[in-house]
Amino acid sequence: MRLGTVRFSEAVLKEVEALFARYPVKVNALLPLLHMAQRENGGWLQPGWDSYIAELCGTTLNHVRGVITFYNMYRTSAPGKYHIMVCTCLPCGLCGGAEVMEHLEKRLGIHAGETTGDGMFSLEEVQCLAACDQAPLMVVNEDMQKRITLEQIDRWVEDTRAKKA
Ligand code: FES
């Protein structure tokens, strides 16, 4: 196996082998493998991870890049320490999803797709997160905050900023 500028640690490579053992062919593990790569690298896929993962899975770089660019859960730029995803699809939209997004944009002083200057918060507008019955919602890193109110958002932003100070 080629040793490039990026690679999993030996401990994570053991996890990778355990993952491969669950699939008939390695390439079937591509999605969880990309999640692992993001988890190990601050929530995004720095240059080089696509080709490393392609080699691990025995597939082409184009295949991996196609998957990375198809799903918005994979990122090729660094997110904020707190990456916030807000669903504004119709079911969430009817329950206040757009208001949640607008409120966060005002509170954080950024638009969807941007990161605050201090690197604390990044904001992303997403499609259905398969939790329509919990709308409106936001997902912060891996934590889903369901039926969120604008007051709860204010409290969360204040508390999170206070933790940093
Ligand atoms: S439409 Fe928002 S979670 Fe499904």
Side-chain angles (χ1 to χ4, degrees), residues 87 89-92 128-132 137:
C87 172
C89 277
L90 184 61
C92 281
C128 185
L129 291 162
C132 320
L137 53 93

Side-chain angles (χ1 to χ4, degrees), residues 63-84:
H63 181 190
V64 174
R65 284 189 177 158
V67 169
I68 291 171
T69 53
F70 180 79
Y71 293 107
N72 62 9
M73 60 198 174
Y74 300 121
R75 288 183 284 279
T76 53
S77 60
K81 183 174 180 192
Y82 299 93
H83 184 69
I84 307 164

